[in-house]
Amino acid sequence: MQRDPIKLKWLFLGSLITNTGISFIWPLTTIYMHEYLHESLTVAGIVLLINSVFTIIGNYLGGWLFDHWKPYPTILIGIFTATISAGLLIFWHGWPTYAILLIVLGLGNGMVATCINSIATLIRSKQPSYVFNVLYFTSNLGLVFGSLIVGYVLPLGIEYIFTIAFGMFIVFFIMAFLTFRGLDKSKQNVRKGKVLADDNTQTREKLPISLLLLTLFVAWIAYEQWQSNISAYMLHLGMNVKLYSHLWTVNAALIVLVQPFLTHFDDYLLQHLRGRLYIGFAFFCSSFLILIFARQFIWFVLGMTVLTIGEIIAFPAVSTFVNERASFKEKGRYQAMVTIAASAGRAVGPLIGALIIESFSYPILFIFCSVLIAIFTLFFVGSGFKKAQR
């Protein structure tokens, strides 16, 4: 049995560290720019959009370099870029330096995110589906840790936030430098040996992959409504910000509790991968149908619960589905496309939602999200039937 290029614990720990570090910074962007730097919400929105664009560029660059160059220096460059940006933010976080460094941080973080997913495709001791499931768990656990700690550290000063993030990126860089060295050799060995035939073939089932990535893209457009416009809707209904924050406590608790349970049934879920994706996106779709009737807090809790279950079922399975159908020489490229689809959905989601709300209403937005996810999921389902008929 071929050895893994790195020990799985280092890959999982790296995912946990980088997501914790980044979650110290990104949730504060709008608040910090508006309340501390006295820039308008429009300016903050533009900065976040540019940041998302550079994250997408980082996603693509990380995948391209992983395939056409070397994985080891690629991920080190990504971590180094994020580390330097966070370090400079400790001392220079005024306007416009803050915005520029945040955008550079997005570039580095985009490279790292794609590299981590791409490294998962080189693991041989466990099924890729298992690795992607655990990576999804560690990334969300990191976001939970970071978001919780920020609330206690921010009153001490914004410099402390950037210092902790910088420290975490330093730890990740040192860990990757010492433990990720086998990546290049492993990729070369696998290319020469086990998957030589696959290396000379093109990626299979490009249409299903494209339709699944489009479904992921629209799912993230919908998901972003929970992180942006739904908070305003709850305030409009007379609820407070504290209740809105409780929704994300529900989200975090479900991910921490349910994700390991699903990982336990990884073999069964891998055998029914398409069914897992269908069910996950169906839950996603249903969560917005619930919101149409939401007037009390309990309905929002129900909607968030259904959304999170759909997220846990579907999102890690996307990387697995794409990995199984991508040729070895294009593993990095296609994992980059997964992260790009998610990043693009996050980038345009708040704007699309705001335009629909301003032109129509919140219920119309919820119907739009539900219908959009349903349509693209059905397209993806149809691609499975076409394959079966061949």
Side-chain angles (χ1 to χ4, degrees):
M1 185 174 181
Q2 190 174 354
R3 293 179 59 185
D4 291 337
I6 64 172
K7 291 184 178 179
L8 267 179
K9 64 179 181 181
W10 299 125
L11 182 62
F12 296 151
L13 184 59
S15 172
L16 179 64
I17 292 173
T18 191
N19 281 284
T20 303
I22 201 68
S23 67
F24 274 96
I25 299 174
W26 71 261
L28 297 174
T29 301
T30 301
I31 295 173
Y32 181 69
M33 290 188 63
H34 188 57
E35 299 295 334
Y36 292 80
L37 299 182
H38 307 294
E39 298 296 329
S40 68
L41 290 174
T42 301
V43 170
I46 292 172
V47 170
L48 284 172
L49 179 61
I50 297 174
N51 174 264
S52 296
V53 170
F54 271 78
T55 299
I56 292 171
I57 293 172
N59 293 148
Y60 177 82
L61 189 60
W64 192 91
L65 290 173
F66 187 92
D67 285 336
H68 296 87
W69 190 40
K70 299 177 180 179
Y72 178 60
T74 298
I75 193 167
L76 289 183
I77 290 171
I79 303 170
F80 182 77
T81 303
T83 304
I84 292 298
S85 303
L88 293 175
L89 279 170
I90 299 172
F91 307 101
W92 294 285
H93 44 263
W95 179 260
T97 311
Y98 173 80
I100 294 170
L101 291 175
L102 189 73
I103 290 167
V104 176
L105 179 66
L107 178 70
N109 187 56
M111 291 182 67
V112 172
T114 295
C115 282
I116 287 176
N117 268 22
S118 300
I119 291 169
T121 67
L122 297 177
I123 299 298
R124 295 290 175 263
S125 63
K126 295 285 186 180
Q127 293 278 10
S129 56
Y130 171 87
V131 181
F132 288 125
N133 282 339
V134 179
L135 283 177
Y136 189 76
F137 172 77
T138 55
S139 66
N140 279 280
L141 192 62
L143 296 178
V144 171
F145 285 159
S147 300
L148 286 175
I149 297 170
V150 161
Y152 294 98
V153 177
L154 183 58
L156 302 176
I158 195 73
E159 297 88 352
Y160 291 94
I161 295 290
F162 299 136
T163 300
I164 295 174
F166 173 69
M168 299 203 77
F169 290 140
I170 282 284
V171 170
F172 186 25
F173 183 86
I174 294 172
M175 187 192 78
F177 181 79
L178 296 175
T179 64
F180 284 26
R181 292 184 175 183
L183 288 175
D184 294 346
K185 185 177 179 180
S186 173
K187 192 166 186 289
Q188 292 170 0
N189 288 342
V190 174
R191 179 179 291 276
K192 292 176 182 177
K194 186 177 178 180
V195 291
L196 181 62
D198 179 63
D199 191 40
N200 294 321
T201 62
Q202 296 297 314
T203 293
R204 298 176 290 115
E205 300 182 43
K206 288 188 176 181
L207 178 60
I209 290 176
S210 299
L211 291 173
L212 178 58
L213 292 175
L214 284 172
T215 307
L216 179 66
F217 169 66
V218 299
W220 267 106
I221 289 176
Y223 195 106
E224 278 301 301
Q225 307 314 313
W226 284 91
Q227 302 197 44
S228 55
N229 296 309
I230 288 177
S231 59
Y233 184 51
M234 291 178 67
L235 293 175
H236 174 72
L237 293 174
M239 302 175 207
N240 55 38
V241 176
K242 188 176 181 180
L243 286 176
Y244 173 71
S245 67
H246 288 340
L247 289 178
W248 292 105
T249 304
V250 172
N251 175 269
L254 284 171
I255 290 174
V256 171
L257 292 173
V258 178
Q259 186 70 46
F261 178 77
L262 286 184
T263 302
H264 182 71
F265 295 96
D266 181 65
D267 289 340
Y268 176 82
L269 293 172
L270 185 60
Q271 292 172 12
H272 303 85
L273 188 57
R274 271 188 170 270
R276 176 180 177 176
L277 289 163
Y278 301 158
I279 292 171
F281 287 120
F283 269 87
F284 237 89
C285 180
S286 301
S287 70
F288 290 93
L289 294 177
I290 292 170
L291 288 181
I292 297 172
F293 308 99
R295 295 296 181 272
Q296 290 82 33
F297 179 64
I298 189 64
W299 284 90
F300 287 94
V301 173
L302 178 61
M304 174 58 83
T305 300
V306 173
L307 177 89
T308 305
I309 292 173
E311 171 189 357
I312 294 168
I313 294 172
F315 281 0
V318 173
S319 294
T320 302
F321 184 92
V322 171
N323 175 64
E324 284 192 342
R325 288 152 180 80
S327 67
F328 180 77
K329 65 181 179 181
E330 295 182 305
K331 294 288 188 185
R333 175 193 172 198
Y334 275 90
Q335 289 304 319
M337 289 170 67
V338 173
T339 51
I340 286 171
S343 298
R346 283 193 290 263
V348 302
L351 177 60
I352 290 175
L355 291 173
I356 293 174
I357 293 165
E358 290 176 0
S359 302
F360 302 99
S361 65
Y362 282 99
I364 294 298
L365 170 64
F366 303 145
I367 293 171
F368 170 81
C369 290
S370 183
V371 170
L372 196 65
I373 296 169
I375 289 173
F376 280 93
T377 302
L378 288 173
F379 283 148
F380 175 60
V381 171
S383 70
F385 285 128
K386 288 181 180 178
K387 180 190 173 186
Q389 291 172 358
R390 289 175 185 173

